[in-house]
Amino acid sequence: MTISTQILPLVKELERLENRLAEIPPEPGVYFMRDRSDRIIYIGKSRKLRSRVRSYFRDGYNKSERIATMVKLVTEIEFIVTDTEAEALALEANLIKQHQPYFNVLLKDDKKYPYLCITWSEDYPRIFITRKRQFGKEKDKFYGPYTDAGLLREIVRLCKRIFPQRQRPQPLFKDRPCLNFDLGRCPGVCQQMISPEEYRKIVQKIAMVFQGRTQELIDILTQQMNAAAQDLNFESAARIRDQISGLKSLTADQKVSLPDDTVSRDAIALAADEQHACIQLFQIRAGQLVGRLAFVADTQAEPGAILQRALEEHYQTADSVEIPTEILVQHELPDGEILADVLTQRKGKKVTILTPLRQTKAELIEMVERNAQYELQRMQKLGDRNHQAMQDLAAILDLPDVPHRIEGYDISHIQGSNAVASQVVFIDGLPAKQHYRHYKIKNPTVTAGHSDDFASLAEVIQRRFRKYGVEESVASDDSTNQQLSRLDNPDWPDLIMIDGGKGQLSSVVAVLQEMNLLEDLRVVSLAKQREEIFLPGESKPLTTDAEQPGVQLLRRLRDEAHRFAVSFHRQQRSDKLKRSRLDEIPGLGHHRQKQLLGHFRSVDYIRQATTIQLAEVAGIGPRLAQEIYDYFHPS
């Protein structure tokens, strides 16, 4: 007789549930909900853990459908007690990022919205626009995401004209500054003609623009201008006057009609459909709209919970001066009091969270909601167009279902030299760049002057799917189990697209047959000349129109695979040209070559360096420095 050891949900074991709830203290902290697989499915916070967790299991508690479903799956409850609500708020945010629980509101990192990054971790901070928010270094600061990339680029461009700062990521010359120094646009960072402390003061002024403190910066500069004029330093006063004029032009047309323009406030609202919620946050400082940020979330929670999560995410990394004294919200927040208390402590001044119902503030919320609705409509239109293209592609190829994951492959080389391959992935018709991959072709027959795209593609496909391959001698039961595990794998593609014609497709089909994977993978090729689609075993292409949605989707995939392969090939070729002479030096391996090039920037500068300068590079001792010097100076 078999005895079941399956763990039952707590709602079906009331005695165990009551004992567990009694163990939870009435203190601030964070709680975890786990399912029978021991996965964390929900993380929450409260100033009184016991009463909050108990409310989930109370019959009269008004639970949403999402929470009611979650409660039925809970088999264990854990908690972490903290000293304050602020600690609970910060801990909850970090744990949600780490575990990504299914029933929590998860904000998406939408790649179409750019951020501004200031690298405070460096002695001379850089300022640049990026679409990847990576917290690799704790001191680096990200502002955004901004909905208008064009406006953000224009502001950065104006800031570079208003304030002298480093204009290039790398120095143009080794021993002298470039023309930007002579034009007064750069203080000579590359030659350290300005101290790190003085340069950081300049960058702090630029940061004030993106913190919404433009008026405060203008007031500070006005005082400095007046002081310079009193000291008869008219050249400095004129330069500061031009900076003030440039700053005023940034916000000249961004007035918001609010009666109290002395209060800094944020206004947040959302628009949602059955799948997504588009959130807009307007930053208003001194009556001016200084920033419009955007977030995207799945609509599996109540509107108030989504807004709460967006605000917590936004203010978690904000400086105290960036926190407004008033936050207007479209819906009441479930833990608004905790958030307000935490922000008050961080700012050192009272922060109020309001849900306005009438007059000017309510009209402001309506304006924010209207902008969120426009963004949602744009997202819906894009989603409908992608779904139509995938449905058309499924009809063209006679697929059983709409393809979720499509992979595209291409080869890039110059007459066989530096041959590389690309793997790009589209999920639901959109590029999923986190799944992109590069391959260096290892086939010994592919060399400079001898190319073989057929063999290269076969090699890449074999390397991509070798862990799923099944040998002929494997027992049928094991083969079936491996097949089921492959099809359940989220990395398993519904369709593979090869850039090329019948020859390229045939080489890929042959290697998949050897691996016993051809029956489980759908493979097609797309020829460039007439945009023709070829199927395995067919001598003629499918009858299609090059402009129909499904074919256009394959073309976008093919073009992206080609772009990704070419960019990697150029990088490999450039690296090889840089290292071509260094490879001839005995004892100078790949890692030390990278160290040298990172320090001197080019082979020409390495050739000009003395043995003392060469020995200063990490990993290059006096002995190797002498060998490098002797190589470039054989006399």
Side-chain angles (χ1 to χ4, degrees):
M1 185 176 74
T2 302
I3 300 175
S4 175
T5 58
Q6 186 178 9
I7 302 175
L8 295 176
L10 288 175
V11 292
K12 295 186 178 180
E13 293 187 299
L14 297 180
E15 184 178 352
R16 187 164 70 92
L17 171 62
E18 193 58 39
N19 292 336
R20 189 61 181 137
L21 292 176
E23 296 171 354
I24 301 176
E27 296 183 33
V30 175
Y31 55 91
F32 309 76
M33 304 287 195
R34 293 184 180 269
D35 64 4
R36 64 182 181 183
S37 301
D38 204 37
R39 291 175 303 184
I40 297 177
I41 59 175
Y42 187 78
I43 297 175
K45 64 181 175 303
S46 177
R47 58 176 58 183
K48 291 185 178 180
L49 284 171
R50 179 184 296 171
S51 56
R52 169 58 64 84
V53 176
R54 186 179 290 276
S55 67
Y56 287 99
F57 301 93
R58 195 177 298 133
D59 292 336
Y61 184 65
N62 185 21
K63 296 187 285 285
S64 65
E65 184 177 350
R66 177 183 67 98
I67 295 298
T69 303
M70 184 267 295
V71 168
K72 295 176 182 178
L73 300 175
V74 176
T75 60
E76 184 56 271
I77 304 170
E78 298 177 4
F79 59 88
I80 298 176
V81 174
T82 60
D83 292 333
T84 64
E85 294 93 339
E87 291 179 2
L89 184 67
L91 179 60
E92 182 207 31
N94 291 332
L95 291 172
I96 289 176
K97 283 183 180 178
Q98 178 183 350
H99 296 285
Q100 297 283 296
Y102 179 78
F103 287 96
N104 278 94
V105 177
L106 303 177
L107 298 179
K108 294 184 176 181
D109 185 15
D110 203 318
K111 300 297 188 297
K112 66 177 177 291
Y113 295 134
Y115 294 84
L116 180 102
C117 179
I118 301 180
T119 57
W120 291 109
S121 58
E122 301 177 4
D123 291 338
Y124 293 94
R126 291 177 295 125
I127 302 172
F128 59 91
I129 298 172
T130 178
R131 294 183 187 270
K132 295 181 180 180
R133 191 182 187 188
Q134 298 175 337
F135 296 99
K137 297 181 180 177
E138 188 175 342
K139 293 183 180 180
D140 291 351
K141 179 68 178 174
F142 288 84
Y143 299 92
Y146 292 92
T147 58
D148 193 335
L151 178 60
L152 177 60
R153 283 191 290 268
E154 179 65 16
I155 293 175
V156 172
R157 188 187 66 81
L158 286 174
C159 285
K160 285 187 175 183
R161 295 182 68 89
I162 295 170
F163 299 102
Q165 58 183 286
R166 59 187 293 182
Q167 303 285 331
R168 296 177 176 274
Q170 302 294 344
L172 187 62
F173 306 106
K174 183 182 177 182
D175 54 353
R176 59 187 176 89
C178 64
L179 186 62
N180 286 309
F181 175 77
D182 299 315
L183 294 175
R185 294 185 178 180
C186 175
V189 172
C190 61
Q191 303 302 318
Q192 297 184 354
M193 301 175 73
I194 181 174
S195 67
E197 293 75 18
E198 290 299 318
Y199 185 72
R200 292 173 81 89
K201 291 179 181 178
I202 297 175
V203 178
Q204 284 170 354
K205 294 177 181 178
I206 300 172
M208 291 178 71
V209 175
F210 296 95
Q211 293 170 349
R213 302 164 61 197
T214 308
Q215 186 57 48
E216 181 182 344
L217 177 59
I218 290 175
D219 294 340
I220 294 173
L221 291 176
T222 301
Q223 294 176 3
Q224 294 177 356
M225 180 184 67
N226 294 334
Q230 290 177 0
D231 294 339
L232 304 181
N233 191 350
F234 299 115
E235 183 177 349
S236 176
R239 185 176 65 253
I240 298 174
R241 178 203 61 199
D242 294 340
Q243 292 177 347
I244 293 172
S245 177
L247 288 171
K248 288 181 177 179
S249 69
L250 288 178
T251 53
D253 301 322
Q254 297 182 12
K255 279 285 183 180
V256 177
S257 57
L258 287 175
D260 187 1
D261 62 0
T262 61
V263 177
S264 63
R265 53 172 58 89
D266 285 352
I268 187 169
L270 61 81
D273 59 12
E274 295 179 354
Q275 294 181 321
H276 303 291
C278 292
I279 307 144
Q280 296 268 311
L281 188 147
F282 280 29
Q283 299 172 302
I284 300 161
R285 305 292 183 267
Q288 293 180 336
L289 177 62
V290 299
R292 183 164 70 100
L293 311 182
F295 308 90
V296 180
D298 292 328
T299 53
Q300 57 176 346
E302 298 298 321
I306 296 175
L307 294 179
Q308 171 109 17
R309 182 76 188 98
L311 289 173
E312 291 172 355
E313 173 83 9
H314 173 63
Y315 293 124
Q316 185 182 19
T317 58
D319 295 332
S320 59
V321 293
E322 299 173 52
I323 301 173
T325 55
E326 186 175 272
I327 303 172
L328 307 179
V329 296
Q330 178 190 22
H331 301 279
E332 188 173 346
L333 307 183
D335 292 308
E337 292 183 5
I338 295 179
L339 181 60
D341 292 345
V342 169
L343 295 180
T344 297
Q345 293 176 16
R346 288 180 53 193
K347 187 173 181 62
K349 191 183 294 185
K350 178 68 174 176
V351 176
T352 307
I353 300 178
L354 301 174
T355 309
L357 300 176
R358 57 182 183 272
Q359 295 182 344
T360 308
K361 294 179 180 179
E363 294 175 359
L364 176 60
I365 287 293
E366 289 178 3
M367 182 181 70
V368 180
E369 181 183 0
R370 192 161 61 250
N371 281 270
Q373 188 67 45
Y374 287 137
E375 183 63 20
L376 179 64
Q377 291 173 1
R378 193 190 65 81
M379 182 178 290
Q380 289 171 336
K381 189 178 296 183
L382 180 62
D384 292 343
R385 188 162 61 243
N386 284 329
H387 187 66
Q388 180 185 359
M390 289 186 294
Q391 283 184 323
D392 185 53
L393 183 60
I396 293 172
L397 303 178
D398 194 23
L399 300 176
D401 297 303
V402 172
H404 169 64
R405 179 186 175 108
I406 310 175
E407 294 182 1
Y409 295 85
D410 191 18
I411 304 293
S412 181
H413 58 84
I414 295 180
Q415 295 182 345
S417 65
N418 300 113
V420 298
S422 66
Q423 170 198 325
V424 301
V425 180
F426 277 23
I427 294 180
D428 294 333
L430 296 174
K433 295 190 177 182
Q434 68 272 25
H435 299 300
Y436 284 19
R437 295 291 181 270
H438 285 134
Y439 295 88
K440 293 181 182 178
I441 301 303
K442 300 179 180 180
N443 191 327
T445 64
V446 179
T447 58
H450 184 273
S451 62
D452 191 340
D453 287 0
F454 300 164
S456 299
L457 281 168
E459 174 192 331
V460 171
I461 295 298
Q462 195 276 334
R463 288 164 61 183
R464 165 67 174 92
F465 295 101
R466 60 188 167 194
K467 65 180 178 179
Y468 302 109
V470 181
E471 300 294 337
E472 291 285 349
S473 58
V474 174
S476 59
D477 290 344
D478 293 339
S479 177
T480 303
N481 291 335
Q482 288 196 29
Q483 182 185 32
L484 291 175
S485 65
R486 292 196 299 263
L487 298 179
D488 290 339
N489 194 315
D491 293 337
W492 189 258
D494 301 302
L495 179 66
I496 295 175
M497 190 278 306
I498 304 297
D499 184 6
K502 291 184 291 184
Q504 285 86 347
L505 180 61
S506 297
S507 63
V508 170
V509 168
V511 74
L512 290 176
Q513 283 177 330
E514 292 176 5
M515 302 171 71
N516 291 317
L517 295 176
L518 188 57
E519 293 183 1
D520 300 329
L521 285 170
R522 191 65 186 270
V523 189
V524 300
S525 67
L526 182 65
K528 288 186 176 72
Q529 189 170 7
R530 299 179 182 176
E531 310 295 356
E532 296 173 326
I533 300 174
F534 289 91
L535 299 180
E538 299 291 337
S539 59
K540 294 184 178 180
L542 292 175
T543 303
T544 57
D545 180 0
E547 300 304 319
Q548 66 185 102
V551 179
Q552 286 185 338
L553 176 59
L554 282 185
R555 287 167 60 184
R556 290 199 301 272
L557 179 69
R558 189 267 316 281
D559 294 343
E560 179 68 356
H562 180 71
R563 179 200 65 80
F564 198 52
V566 169
S567 64
F568 185 52
H569 170 69
R570 286 173 178 163
Q571 176 189 332
Q572 294 297 305
R573 196 171 72 236
S574 174
D575 291 345
K576 185 176 181 179
L577 290 172
K578 285 180 181 178
R579 294 196 299 266
S580 59
R581 299 196 64 186
L582 300 180
D583 286 333
E584 301 174 7
I585 303 176
L588 193 62
H590 177 69
H591 177 70
R592 286 174 174 172
Q593 289 179 22
K594 287 179 63 177
Q595 297 286 90
L596 276 173
L597 289 169
H599 184 84
F600 289 103
R601 306 301 178 191
S602 75
V603 176
D604 290 335
Y605 289 152
I606 296 174
R607 184 175 60 248
Q608 298 171 15
T610 65
T611 54
I612 297 175
Q613 292 172 328
L614 290 168
E616 292 175 353
V617 180
I620 308 293
R623 188 172 179 179
L624 183 56
Q626 187 64 48
E627 289 187 14
I628 297 171
Y629 184 85
D630 292 343
Y631 172 81
F632 287 109
H633 305 84
S635 60

